[in-house]
Amino acid sequence: MRAFTKITSLVVPLDRANVDTDAIIPKQFLKSIRRAGFGPYLFDEWRYLDHGEPDMDCTNRPLNTDFVLNKPEYLGAGILLARENFGCGSSREHAPWALEDFGFRAIIAPSFADIFYNNCFKNGLLPIVLPAELVDGLFKALSIGYKLTIDLEAQKIMTPEGSVMCFDVDETRKFRLLNGLDDIALSLQHADKITAYEAERAKRAPWLFSE
Amino acid sequence: MSGKTLYDKLWEDHVVYTEDDGSSLIYIDRHLVHEVTSPQAFEGLRLAGRKPWRQSRNLAVADHNVPTTNRDKGIADPVSRLQVETLDKNCSEFGITEFGMSDARQGIVHVVGPEQGATLPGMTVVCGDSHTSTHGASGALAFGIGTSEVEHALATQCLTQKKAKNLLIKVNGKVGVGVTAKDIVLAIIGKIGTAGGNGYTIEFAGEAIQALSMEGRMTVCNMAIEAGARAGLVAVDEVTIDYYRNRPYAPKGGDWFMAERLWQQLHSDADAVFDKVVEMDAAGIKPQVTWGTSPELVVAVDEAVPDPALEPDAVKQQSMKRALEYMGLTAGQAIVDIKLDKVFIGSCTNSRIEDLRAAAKVAEGKKIAANITQALVVPGSGLVKRQAEAEGLDKIFIDAGFEWREPGCSMCLAMNADRLEEGERCASTSNRNFEGRQGYGGRTHLVSPAMAAAAAIAGHFVDVSSIEESVA
Ligand code: SF4
């Protein structure tokens, strides 16, 4: 996983509440057995005027020029500004994969759906929860070329006007993301505790371990 | 000290280790695997040279991509076929039990788990699928995970989690005629919103919940995720214990009695404190119909499509307008005047035997309306299908003009050949009415099985409670 420390990047506003994971990456792309290459299909039904299918070459597909991601001024943006309950719906990790593959490193919203929020951290993507008024303020402040700096270590967002906003993040998640660490290797450091737990549990619920 | 909630008890029982910031490694008793969210996880194991921590705690079944017709011919779509074959290959390579496509036990993973007793009260249950919340109906802590966590669960039999908050939703009193578990949960989501349960584990309680069968409780917990909660729970009672007796994977003999004693503790203590409590009156719930592109955009069948202009919140007003446009509806239109093209009875929300019985009861001796181009009934598992056939339900459906299919997710998310065409309108017993969910440009109205069957017969929505009252 790519580590996340500090970035300064353009911000794209996606002014819709309850953006679900079906919208982020429609189900036909879930048929892939690979983990990479979902970026071109991010928000497929909103981004293109035709119907996308897996493995389609997207370079010549008709674009929906009204959709914000297609506006030239947001090209190369690494921060997505969104509304409440972003990432609701299906647990598909293809959603953060697609966002990350497209080039996003952070998403700012008043709230996220739990599973999506969790999935982001596994993929080097930082979801930041800010109070709805601050998010609304950012939507209003956004102009062409608007960039934010996000410092994960300091848990701060710096605006071009010079104001600073603090955000919360769990220590464990922060540590893993800062260092780009593999969750499984970290958990396996506690293998002896897992084994001890199993032995103790087997006394209370032997049927769980009898197979 | 105050007592514990059911969620507190389940959580504490599974903590292996807690970090200073409160993140815990929790033990997973059952991991369910399906073809869509697992290939990259198995690939990860292979690349890292890892093995499953405890093979027997995993159970796999293909459901999302499987065809619901002509099973003997295999899967026509090469991409779907590759995904299902990849699951078969991974399961045999890693020694995981899989119910293959020709196995009578095959079906939707969330129907199969409880039916086999593979998911039991008191367990932690995870699956790379958000509707894993379904299994909470048995008093298990069950939630959906992403693919990285699927790999983590395989490799360690654990997950790193932070404890959620406790939300109690109490549905007091009794529901009226024709009002089902689906209507209860849709009404709850209509009340608290799709983000209302964010950060919480919901315990559903109250007389109306206790009165539900296990199937009905599963329908309610299934949609906890649609209310924003990763997990939904119902306390264990006699209904739960009776349901699990003699299930293939349930404990036997002395173990059963030991389990029964343990499971009887699985309820919130009388003095438990919840972070939030929502109370509802069951008698006020009518059959529900969603009109928008989010499950919270729901009204009672005898109401009209709401007017966005009356919504004070600007962001909400905007999404209501957008939903009306996508759904091709106008504010003020009566729900019963909405004409349909297709009907889908199935999905992990409503494809169990009780659901099929309810739909068949409405369809018996009738014919689907001329404007309905397709009405599908897709049982949740091979065993549900067999049971329904033994009861003659398949005949009732076929005589009425429904198609009787093989088990799977089918048109719930249209990853196989079953789907809506652009602009088509469907009464569906599934759980999500998002844009494009049942097919590109398709329009979904979520309803109960009885409501879906009644809509198929009438060609438009009808209040099933008025039909059932006149019958009764
Ligand atoms: S039936 Fe629908 S909601 Fe349930 S697991 Fe299948 S696709 Fe998901």
Side-chain angles (χ1 to χ4, degrees):
Chain A
M1 180 177 86
R2 190 147 59 131
F4 187 112
T5 48
K6 186 175 177 179
I7 63 160
T8 298
S9 182
L10 277 178
V11 184
V12 188
L14 184 62
D15 200 354
R16 274 182 203 184
N18 298 314
V19 170
D20 59 75
T21 53
D22 283 72
I24 298 172
I25 183 90
K27 70 225 154 214
Q28 61 270 33
F29 302 103
L30 271 53
K31 290 186 183 180
S32 170
I33 55 168
R34 293 189 306 267
R35 196 175 183 125
F38 292 103
Y41 312 109
L42 174 69
F43 295 118
D44 199 86
E45 288 184 7
W46 293 346
R47 235 165 107 199
Y48 303 100
L49 296 171
D50 63 344
H51 177 66
E53 281 297 330
D55 295 324
M56 203 169 183
D57 176 8
C58 293
T59 45
N60 292 314
R61 290 176 62 192
L63 290 177
N64 170 9
T65 48
D66 288 339
F67 185 56
V68 70
L69 247 55
N70 288 330
K71 308 225 165 174
E73 61 266 34
Y74 296 120
L75 206 71
I79 301 171
L80 186 67
L81 183 65
R83 294 287 187 184
E84 64 175 31
N85 203 26
F86 187 86
C88 61
S90 139
S91 64
R92 62 190 70 164
E93 201 160 316
H94 310 65
W97 293 340
L99 287 158
E100 201 264 352
D101 194 57
F102 182 83
F104 285 115
R105 302 298 322 277
I107 307 165
I108 302 174
S111 60
F112 291 90
D114 284 340
I115 303 178
F116 175 82
Y117 183 79
N118 207 36
N119 282 341
C120 285
F121 285 97
K122 318 274 180 202
N123 293 285
L125 198 59
L126 175 64
I128 300 178
V129 180
L130 286 185
E133 314 81 70
L134 288 184
V135 171
D136 209 45
L138 285 173
F139 269 103
K140 295 201 172 102
L142 258 175
S143 54
I144 290 176
Y146 193 89
K147 284 187 178 177
L148 289 174
T149 297
I150 300 173
D151 184 344
L152 176 57
E153 177 69 62
Q155 295 179 214
K156 286 193 168 105
I157 302 174
M158 276 76 74
T159 72
E161 302 89 18
S163 56
V164 176
M165 290 172 271
C166 296
F167 61 88
D168 272 340
V169 55
D170 289 348
E171 276 308 314
T172 308
R173 282 176 168 145
K174 176 177 166 180
F175 176 75
R176 292 179 185 204
L177 197 51
L178 278 173
N179 298 291
L181 291 174
D182 171 353
D183 272 5
I184 297 178
L186 288 172
S187 296
L188 285 174
Q189 289 177 357
H190 302 296
D192 54 337
K193 295 195 187 73
I194 304 174
T195 312
Y197 172 89
E198 286 181 322
E200 184 269 334
R201 186 96 190 287
K203 288 186 208 142
R204 287 181 292 139
W207 60 91
L208 294 174
F209 300 90
S210 55
E211 298 155 35
Chain B
M1 215 180 92
S2 58
K4 290 174 186 164
T5 65
L6 171 56
Y7 173 54
D8 296 338
K9 293 181 188 178
L10 291 167
W11 177 268
E12 283 169 19
D13 205 26
H14 290 89
V15 173
V16 172
Y17 168 78
T18 304
E19 304 266 3
D20 294 340
D21 74 340
S23 311
S24 299
L25 197 62
I26 65 161
Y27 193 77
I28 303 303
D29 295 320
R30 175 64 74 192
H31 179 208
L32 300 169
V33 181
H34 68 84
E35 79 277 20
V36 180
T37 52
S38 66
Q40 297 87 352
F42 283 112
E43 186 64 18
L45 286 189
R46 210 174 283 122
L47 290 174
R50 291 180 176 129
K51 293 249 161 325
W53 179 274
R54 195 171 276 275
Q55 289 161 322
S56 67
R57 297 284 93 208
N58 299 280
L59 179 65
V61 63
D63 54 5
H64 286 63
N65 278 286
V66 299
T68 56
T69 49
N70 299 326
R71 278 279 164 88
D72 46 327
K73 298 208 177 67
I75 306 177
D77 174 10
V79 196
S80 290
R81 192 186 331 123
L82 177 65
Q83 205 166 47
V84 175
E85 285 170 359
T86 304
L87 180 67
D88 299 344
K89 203 172 86 276
N90 283 329
C91 287
S92 61
E93 181 183 334
F94 289 98
I96 289 170
T97 306
E98 185 197 3
F99 297 160
M101 221 167 67
S102 54
D103 193 315
R105 297 169 297 178
Q106 182 271 341
I108 306 170
V109 65
H110 309 307
V111 174
V112 170
E115 183 174 80
Q116 291 295 318
T119 58
L120 292 167
M123 277 186 167
T124 40
V125 178
V126 298
C127 173
D129 189 281
S130 58
H131 292 100
T132 310
S133 59
T134 313
H135 309 267
S138 69
L141 177 57
F143 52 88
I145 55 177
T147 299
S148 297
E149 290 177 311
V150 169
E151 187 180 336
H152 195 284
L154 282 165
T156 69
Q157 205 57 44
C158 289
L159 284 177
T160 307
Q161 294 282 306
K162 252 197 153 169
K163 195 169 176 225
K165 288 180 286 182
N166 282 292
L167 166 59
L168 176 67
I169 297 185
K170 224 173 146 195
V171 189
N172 300 314
K174 292 189 175 65
V175 292
V177 189
V179 177
T180 66
K182 182 67 163 285
D183 304 300
I184 296 177
V185 73
L186 283 172
I188 291 171
I189 297 166
K191 184 178 166 97
I192 71 169
T194 48
N198 256 349
Y200 292 96
T201 290
I202 302 178
E203 179 173 343
F204 297 99
E207 194 188 342
I209 301 292
Q210 280 166 333
L212 294 173
S213 64
M214 277 306 292
E215 285 85 351
R217 295 174 189 188
M218 288 182 218
T219 301
V220 172
C221 288
N222 174 273
M223 291 195 73
I225 184 69
E226 257 48 72
R230 274 180 103 165
L233 290 169
V234 175
V236 171
D237 60 10
E238 282 310 310
V239 175
T240 324
I241 292 176
D242 283 344
Y243 177 90
Y244 285 101
R245 214 181 294 274
N246 300 322
R247 299 269 161 191
Y249 283 77
K252 305 267 160 9
D255 278 354
W256 171 263
F257 294 106
M258 198 172 168
E260 208 176 340
R261 270 204 308 280
L262 213 66
W263 295 346
Q264 272 153 356
Q265 313 302 314
L266 296 175
H267 52 78
S268 292
D269 295 333
D271 57 344
V273 179
F274 287 82
D275 299 285
K276 193 162 118 186
V277 179
V278 175
E279 298 215 31
M280 283 175 73
D281 178 17
I285 302 175
K286 292 190 179 147
Q288 305 280 304
V289 181
T290 68
W291 57 269
T293 51
S294 161
E296 70 185 16
L297 303 178
V298 64
V299 290
V301 61
D302 59 358
E303 292 179 330
V305 174
D307 186 353
L310 303 175
E311 171 58 56
D313 181 290
V315 177
K316 277 209 187 109
Q317 189 184 85
Q318 197 49 40
S319 35
M320 285 172 76
K321 279 191 189 150
R322 205 187 138 75
L324 282 186
E325 197 182 308
Y326 181 86
M327 293 295 290
L329 296 172
T330 43
Q333 195 173 352
I335 294 291
V336 289
D337 289 343
I338 299 175
K339 278 211 156 42
L340 298 150
D341 303 303
K342 286 187 175 169
V343 171
F344 171 62
I345 298 174
S347 90
C348 58
T349 316
N350 283 127
S351 64
R352 286 168 284 267
I353 189 69
E354 176 183 289
D355 302 314
L356 303 188
R357 285 180 191 141
K361 190 170 154 217
V362 174
E364 188 158 19
K366 313 231 173 56
K367 292 267 180 251
I368 62 170
N371 57 305
I372 302 293
T373 57
Q374 187 176 45
L376 291 184
V377 185
V378 186
S381 73
L383 296 179
V384 169
K385 181 168 186 257
R386 195 182 275 178
Q387 174 69 26
E389 287 171 353
E391 296 177 20
L393 305 184
D394 56 328
K395 297 244 162 33
I396 296 178
F397 286 122
I398 294 166
D399 289 347
F402 288 84
E403 295 174 38
W404 179 246
R405 296 291 187 92
E406 300 289 339
C409 295
S410 179
M411 212 200 272
C412 173
L413 95 165
M415 268 186 89
N416 69 355
D418 311 333
R419 65 186 62 198
L420 298 181
E421 299 304 324
E422 203 166 342
E424 277 184 338
R425 189 180 296 286
C426 179
S428 177
T429 66
S430 57
N431 43 50
R432 286 189 178 137
N433 49 358
F434 300 158
E435 287 183 21
R437 170 80 179 181
Q438 293 194 288
Y440 182 71
R443 295 159 170 168
T444 302
H445 296 271
L446 304 176
V447 289
S448 74
M451 283 286 289
I457 304 303
H460 56 85
F461 288 113
V462 284
D463 184 350
V464 75
S465 61
S466 61
I467 306 179
E468 294 198 7
E469 253 159 24
S470 62
V471 173

